[in-house]
Amino acid sequence: IVMSVGANSLLTKSGLQDKDVIRMADGKNVKTLREFLEIYQEINWHGKMNLEVIRNQQLVKVVLLLK
């Protein structure tokens, strides 16, 4: 769960919002922070990560900017 995003952060620029629930990252299911961080470390050099999040009971696709 995204607890809080800063006004000028990469999270905000990517379209993530407070209370979004990250379900998938780079096409892989994410159930824990550890799983998310492992995926992040694998693809950080790409500069972006495709996410699927649950927002207001709707599935939303977001491209997370990593740089």
Side-chain angles (χ1 to χ4, degrees):
I1 297 176
V2 177
M3 299 304 291
S4 176
V5 295
N8 293 319
S9 71
L10 287 175
L11 298 177
T12 299
K13 291 176 184 175
S14 298
L16 283 173
Q17 298 178 7
D18 293 352
K19 305 216 171 51
D20 280 353
V21 178
I22 299 172
R23 301 292 295 176
M24 294 188 84
D26 197 41
K28 300 173 187 167
N29 286 325
V30 175
K31 295 181 182 171
T32 66
L33 179 59
R34 172 179 240 147
E35 289 176 349
F36 178 79
L37 292 175
E38 287 173 359
I39 296 167
Y40 169 82
Q41 289 176 342
E42 290 174 10
I43 67 165
N44 183 34
W45 63 276
H46 287 248
K48 63 181 179 177
M49 181 187 325
N50 293 314
L51 301 178
E52 288 187 8
V53 301
I54 302 293
R55 178 183 302 150
N56 299 322
Q57 300 180 347
Q58 300 289 323
L59 183 62
V60 178
K61 294 186 180 191
V62 176
V63 177
L64 175 62
L65 303 175
L66 303 176
K67 297 182 181 197

